[in-house]
């Protein structure tokens, strides 16, 4: 085992080296060498060491990546060498003119270019003196930028000390950007908690660096790629830009893996089209590619014009954001009943595609944007992502003679546009305590007509027919697709009216369409047997149990366990349908949220009509006296099953244990009475042992069940 360095100074140096090496491997090489827990332990040890010995804290220490407090304001920084912008090319002809001019002036038919994606982020400059990061600034106006050093220190992809032998001064130019996965995860978290979402990755990156509190910047998922140099002292530059990029890698900077070298016009256009084909798969946003003469002597010969180099150009992709107007706001109902607002737009070209619709996500997003009919909006489309409205241009909002908006704020419908059932706001529950319910920010608006709503029809039927619900063997999703598409079934009750002739007619129509039902059916290997089997399976499912029926109805948040508890507590369906929320919360394991869901489901007239139709079709179940107190030798105890059993299935074992009063749970906690562990038991068994929970093998379970038979 390696011994720790003897002195605090040596240990601090060792920790800094280990942490920076881990950062380099993770953020630059994309090849992490240690797990996150070990990395965190190294950082904590270094923090404690520097707290105990403040003199050990250095500017390049990894602990300085997050500033201690809010900055009073950004100071300005004069760039020693201007941060120039690039001229743009928007067509192949523009690129041909660019390469033609260079070839003519250099006298070289096909010069070589360093080529790279043009990241859609924020250009910055990083200054290192004797290998240590001392300052970072934005581009600003090209001559002067903002000092955002403290915020840049929070980006772990940016080295605080260079690797290897460093020049006296090295100014590195590059782009701070927000990876798409981080952007999407951040926005999802903000929508869930009611925070402010970011308009797009570029705005997210730029806004993060302009936060006066570095801790806020540190909370954003930012990254960095180096692409060039500014001022340099004490270093002989390589003769080509492509070799500069390799040197930057060696110093510890991340460089886009898509950089390459291309020759002449054909090579540039091939690179452009290749990156364009990859654009939707890249982990970051790009808005084009950049071509730079690779040889520095050729760059010098071409020189500059105005504020841009004559030896480089940005070849832009079609814009992913455009302005258009909202012609209407409509609501679509999804398969789960969630209502999603959609903006109907004046047609506009976005990223090469004509966009006429854009998602508004949910009611909270509409309110946050305050988007209204007639508004001019910015629409974004990136790759295959559904276009979305990201911002309203309020200055262009239509107004009347008094200056008031012509259109009021949008209000969500109180009735489902697909079936007319009531809608309700459903919020994600973070936790329930005696003090009350804590919700995530934001609510989904959902239709309550689950059994009746045509938008939810297919999903409701698939769930209704599933094995743990009504168990209609052979009635899979493909058949249900055909039954709904050909209008044989509108509610789950219609299943019990289907005849053999209906299925055969469905097959004939499917053969004509050639895509609705499985090939084995269309091939007709057994002419009618498949249809006869389906009719028999549907008829057999009429005899069920109350708990299966309750689960099959698809009430939101009512799973198998809750359905079983409701069936035993009330004994019959009618008392459940008549129960109000106050009565429902008395049921064990039914909290106020689930009680509200159950009461709301049965309050919807359409759902009650479908239940009446099921009864009329002959669906029946035994009913008995309520069991409103736990009974049996395992009453009030929670049991967990894990691993494979040989004498019975885990499901059968669970039903036997539940009949004896137990609650069968899916996870182990301190409240678990015992765990039944079969063969190949895994993490649940390990957790039970760690918590000191009693463990039974299958032999002990069988002995207990034999001693306590159930009817």
């Amino acid at each position: 085992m390696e011994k720790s360095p003897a002195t605090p100074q040596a240990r601090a140096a060792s920790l800094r080296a280990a942490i920076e090496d881990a950062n380099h491997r993770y953020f630059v090489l994309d090849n992490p060498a240690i797990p996150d827990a070990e990395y965190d332990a190294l950082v904590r040890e270094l923090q404690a060491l520097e707290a105990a010995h403040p003199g050990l804290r250095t500017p390049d220490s990894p602990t300085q990546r997050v500033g201690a407090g809010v900055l009073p304001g950004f100071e300005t920084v004069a760039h020693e060498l201007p941060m120039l912008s690039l001229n743009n090319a928007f067509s192949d002809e523009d690129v041909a003119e660019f390469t033609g001019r260079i070839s003519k002036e250099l006298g070289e038919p096909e010069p070589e270019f360093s080529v790279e994606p043009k990241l859609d982020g924020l250009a910055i400059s990083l200054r290192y003196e004797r290998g240590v990061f001392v300052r970072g600034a934005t581009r600003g106006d090209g001559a002067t930028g903002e000092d955002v050093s403290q915020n840049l220190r929070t980006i772990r992809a940016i080295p605080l000390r260079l690797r290897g032998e460093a020049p006296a001064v090295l100014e590195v130019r590059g782009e701070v950007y927000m990876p798409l996965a981080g952007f999407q995860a951040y926005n999802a978290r903000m929508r869930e908690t009611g925070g402010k979402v970011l308009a797009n990755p570029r705005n997210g990156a730029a806004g993060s660096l302009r936060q006066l509190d570095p801790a806020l910047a540190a909370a954003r998922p930012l990254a960095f790629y180096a692409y060039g140099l500014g001022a340099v002292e004490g270093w002989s530059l390589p003769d080509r830009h492509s070799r500069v990029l390799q040197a930057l890698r060696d110093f510890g900077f991340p460089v886009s893996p898509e950089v390459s070298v291309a020759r002449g016009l054909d090579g540039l256009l091939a690179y452009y089209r290749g990156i364009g084909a990859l654009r939707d798969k890249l982990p970051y946003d790009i808005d084009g590619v950049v071509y730079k003469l690779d040889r520095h002597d050729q760059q010098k010969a071409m020189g500059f014009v105005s504020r841009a180099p004559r030896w480089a150009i940005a070849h832009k992709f079609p814009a992913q954001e455009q302005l258009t107007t909202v012609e209407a706001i409509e609501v679509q109902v999804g398969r789960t009943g969630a209502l999603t607002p959609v903006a109907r737009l004046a047609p506009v070209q976005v990223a090469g595609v004509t966009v006429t619709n854009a998602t508004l996500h949910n009611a909270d997003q509409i309110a946050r944007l305050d988007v209204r009919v007639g508004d001019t909006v910015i629409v974004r489309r990136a790759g295959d992502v559904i276009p979305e409205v990201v911002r309203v241009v309020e200055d262009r909002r239509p107004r009347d003679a008094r200056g008031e908006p012509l259109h009021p704020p949008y209000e969500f419908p109180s009735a489902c546009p697909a079936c007319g059932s009531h809608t309700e706001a459903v919020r994600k529950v973070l936790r329930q305590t005696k003090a009350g319910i804590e919700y995530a920010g934001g609510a989904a608006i959902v239709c309550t007509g689950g059994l009746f709503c045509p938008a939810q029809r297919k999903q409701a039927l698939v769930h209704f027919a599933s094995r743990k619900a009504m168990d209609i063997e052979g009635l899979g999703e493909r058949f249900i697709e055909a039954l709904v598409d050909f209008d044989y079934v509108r509610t789950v009750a219609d299943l019990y009216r289907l005849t053999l002739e209906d299925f055969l007619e469905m097959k004939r129509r499917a053969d004509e369409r050639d895509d609705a039902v499985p090939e084995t059916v269309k091939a007709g290997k057994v002419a009618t047997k498949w249809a006869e089997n389906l009719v028999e399976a549907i008829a057999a499912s009429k005899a069920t149990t109350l708990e299966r029926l309750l689960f099959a109805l698809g009430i939101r948040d009512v799973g198998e366990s809750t359905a079983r508890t409701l069936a035993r507590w009330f004994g019959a369906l009618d008392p459940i349908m008549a129960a109000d929320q106050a009565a429902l919360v008395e049921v064990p394991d039914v909290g106020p949220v689930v009680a509200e869901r159950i009461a709301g489901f049965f309050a919807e007239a359409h759902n009650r009509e479908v239940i009446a139709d099921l009864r009329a079709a002959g669906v029946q179940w035994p009913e008995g006296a309520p069991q409103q107190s736990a009974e049996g030798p395992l009453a009030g105890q929670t049991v967990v099953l894990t691993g494979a059993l040989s004498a019975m299935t885990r499901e059968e074992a669970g039903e036997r244990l539940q009949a004896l009063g137990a609650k069968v749970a899916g996870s182990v906690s301190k409240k678990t009475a015992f765990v039944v562990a079969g063969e190949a038991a895994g993490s649940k068994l390990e957790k039970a042992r760690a918590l000191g929970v009693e463990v039974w093998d299958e032999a002990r379970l069988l002995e207990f069940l034999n001693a306590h038979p159930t009817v």
Side-chain angles (χ1 to χ4, degrees):
M1 185 174 178
E2 185 180 348
K3 295 178 66 176
S4 296
T7 67
Q9 292 86 347
R11 180 57 180 163
S14 173
L15 288 168
R16 282 195 290 269
I19 293 167
E20 287 301 344
D21 181 67
N23 283 337
H24 179 71
R25 291 176 180 274
Y26 187 95
F27 294 104
V28 179
L29 302 181
D30 194 24
N31 184 27
I34 61 174
D36 290 348
E38 185 175 340
Y39 176 88
D40 293 339
L42 293 173
V43 173
R44 287 196 299 271
E45 183 182 351
L46 181 58
Q47 288 172 333
L49 196 60
E50 290 180 350
H53 305 278
L56 297 179
R57 190 178 293 119
T58 61
D60 63 321
S61 172
T63 63
Q64 302 307 296
R65 286 196 177 274
V66 180
V70 176
L71 304 174
F74 293 121
E75 296 181 358
T76 58
V77 174
H79 299 302
E80 189 170 336
L81 293 178
M83 292 187 71
L84 301 177
S85 57
L86 295 175
N87 289 326
N88 293 321
F90 296 98
S91 66
D92 292 0
E93 291 74 20
D94 292 341
V95 180
E97 182 181 340
F98 166 73
T99 57
R101 184 176 64 250
I102 290 176
S103 294
K104 181 178 180 180
E105 294 193 25
L106 294 180
E108 184 171 341
E110 290 191 322
E112 284 191 319
F113 293 86
S114 177
V115 291
E116 62 194 65
K118 186 178 182 298
L119 274 75
D120 199 9
L122 185 70
I124 60 154
S125 174
L126 307 172
R127 183 178 177 88
Y128 291 80
E129 295 179 0
R130 291 177 293 279
V132 177
F133 175 63
V134 295
R135 187 175 66 241
T138 62
R139 181 200 300 274
D141 62 4
T144 303
E146 295 174 312
D147 186 338
V148 289
S149 305
Q150 290 297 88
N151 288 340
L152 291 170
R153 288 179 183 275
T154 70
I155 302 173
R156 291 182 179 174
I158 295 176
L160 298 180
R161 176 179 286 275
L162 301 183
R163 304 171 72 84
E165 187 175 347
V169 173
L170 184 70
E171 187 184 335
V172 177
R173 304 282 171 81
E175 198 91 358
V176 168
Y177 67 97
M178 186 173 288
L180 292 175
F183 167 76
Q184 291 158 4
Y186 181 87
N187 271 359
R189 190 165 64 250
M190 291 301 100
R191 289 191 185 102
E192 185 175 282
T193 58
K196 184 179 179 181
V197 298
L198 302 173
N200 54 51
R202 186 195 184 283
N203 288 359
S208 300
L209 286 187
R210 293 193 173 103
Q211 298 279 349
L212 290 176
D213 184 353
L216 297 177
R220 301 278 179 87
L222 299 179
F224 172 77
Y225 274 144
Y227 57 62
L229 295 174
V232 176
E233 296 177 17
W235 186 44
S236 296
L237 267 68
D239 60 347
R240 290 175 176 264
H241 181 72
S242 56
R243 292 170 183 166
V244 166
L245 295 179
Q246 182 54 54
L248 289 175
R249 289 191 184 97
D250 295 340
F251 282 133
F253 293 96
V255 175
S256 171
E258 281 71 41
V259 300
S260 186
V261 174
R263 182 181 291 277
L265 174 62
D266 291 343
L268 297 186
L269 296 182
Y271 180 79
Y272 176 83
R273 294 189 175 96
I275 291 295
L278 289 174
R279 186 182 186 187
D280 297 345
K281 301 178 180 64
L282 294 175
Y284 45 79
D285 258 356
I286 60 174
D287 57 3
V289 298
V290 175
Y291 310 135
K292 303 173 184 175
L293 271 172
D294 196 32
R295 285 171 46 183
H296 288 155
D297 61 333
Q298 292 180 338
Q299 290 182 7
K300 185 176 181 180
M302 290 302 300
F304 299 84
V305 58
S306 184
R307 297 166 61 88
R310 298 179 69 242
W311 43 266
I313 199 167
H315 191 178
K316 302 296 285 291
F317 289 131
Q320 291 186 299
E321 291 187 352
Q322 290 287 7
L323 286 173
T324 187
T325 55
V326 177
E327 297 181 338
I329 298 175
E330 299 175 2
V331 167
Q332 294 178 340
V333 186
R335 290 167 63 94
T336 63
L339 274 62
T340 301
V342 176
R344 306 300 183 194
L345 308 170
V348 63
Q349 282 279 320
V350 186
V353 174
T354 300
V355 171
T356 57
N357 304 311
T359 182
L360 292 166
H361 293 290
N362 52 40
D364 294 306
Q365 182 74 345
I366 286 185
R368 190 178 296 117
L369 293 171
D370 188 25
V371 61
R372 310 182 188 191
V373 173
D375 277 350
T376 296
V377 296
I378 295 175
V379 179
R380 176 178 174 79
R381 178 187 177 272
D384 295 327
V385 177
I386 297 171
E388 64 175 343
V389 173
V390 295
R391 188 163 63 84
V392 172
V393 183
E394 292 192 28
D395 291 346
R396 300 191 186 186
R397 173 167 286 165
R399 299 181 182 275
D400 59 22
R402 296 174 299 171
E404 296 296 323
L406 280 180
H407 300 283
Y410 179 78
E411 291 187 8
F412 241 77
S414 58
C416 173
C419 69
S421 299
H422 294 298
T423 60
E424 64 178 2
V426 175
R427 292 186 291 171
K428 183 179 179 181
V429 178
L430 291 179
R431 60 183 64 86
Q432 296 186 51
T433 65
K434 293 181 179 179
I437 305 168
E438 184 178 343
Y439 295 97
I445 307 299
V446 299
C447 166
T448 59
L451 295 180
F452 177 82
C453 182
Q456 302 175 67
R457 189 173 295 158
K458 291 179 182 178
Q459 179 155 312
L461 286 164
V462 169
H463 175 74
F464 186 84
S466 63
R467 185 173 63 85
K468 293 183 178 181
M470 299 301 284
D471 193 20
I472 304 177
E473 186 175 354
L475 188 60
E477 192 165 351
R478 295 290 299 280
F479 279 117
I480 288 171
E481 291 272 352
L483 289 169
V484 172
D485 290 347
F486 295 134
D487 204 29
Y488 287 97
V489 173
R490 296 190 176 186
T491 74
V492 294
D494 291 337
L495 289 172
Y496 296 97
R497 300 186 181 92
L498 293 171
T499 66
L500 180 64
E501 289 72 25
D502 289 331
F503 280 113
L504 295 176
E505 174 68 11
M506 180 192 74
K507 175 187 178 297
R508 184 189 64 76
R509 294 173 67 182
D511 285 342
E512 293 174 355
R513 193 176 73 174
D514 199 43
D515 66 353
V517 295
E519 291 295 329
T520 53
V521 173
K522 289 189 287 184
K525 293 179 180 178
V526 181
T528 63
K529 187 61 177 175
W530 64 271
E532 292 169 359
N533 289 342
L534 276 174
V535 171
E536 291 174 5
I538 292 171
S541 74
K542 288 182 180 180
T544 187
T545 64
L546 179 55
E547 62 190 57
R548 277 184 174 270
L549 176 72
L550 287 170
F551 178 61
L553 294 179
I555 305 169
R556 190 178 295 272
D557 294 334
V558 174
E560 295 174 77
S561 178
T562 303
R564 185 180 302 110
T565 302
L566 286 168
R568 292 181 179 176
W569 186 265
F570 288 98
L573 180 59
D574 287 341
I576 301 174
M577 294 174 64
D580 58 16
Q581 291 184 47
L584 289 166
V585 293
E586 295 296 321
V587 181
D589 299 323
V590 174
V593 174
V594 177
E596 182 180 3
R597 304 273 196 273
I598 298 168
F601 179 89
F602 288 116
E604 177 53 57
H606 292 313
N607 292 334
R608 299 173 75 94
E609 290 169 6
V610 174
I611 291 169
D613 287 347
L614 286 170
R615 280 173 156 159
V619 178
Q620 54 188 318
W621 53 91
E623 297 185 335
Q627 298 179 26
Q628 297 188 351
S629 60
E631 298 177 357
L634 298 178
Q637 297 187 47
T638 299
V639 179
V640 173
L641 295 158
T642 184
L645 302 177
S646 57
M648 65 186 77
T649 65
R650 282 201 344 219
E651 186 177 81
E652 291 169 340
E655 290 175 354
R656 294 279 300 275
L657 291 167
Q658 288 163 351
L660 297 173
K663 175 185 176 183
V664 177
S667 59
V668 180
S669 71
K670 291 181 179 180
K671 295 182 179 180
T672 303
F674 60 89
V675 170
V676 177
E679 288 190 25
S683 59
K684 293 177 184 177
L685 175 58
E686 293 175 6
K687 187 171 182 180
R689 288 170 173 163
L691 294 175
V693 173
E694 186 177 356
V695 178
W696 291 13
D697 59 15
E698 185 173 1
R700 183 170 177 185
L701 172 66
L702 292 174
E703 181 182 355
F704 181 83
L705 294 178
N706 290 334
H708 300 86
T710 57
V711 178

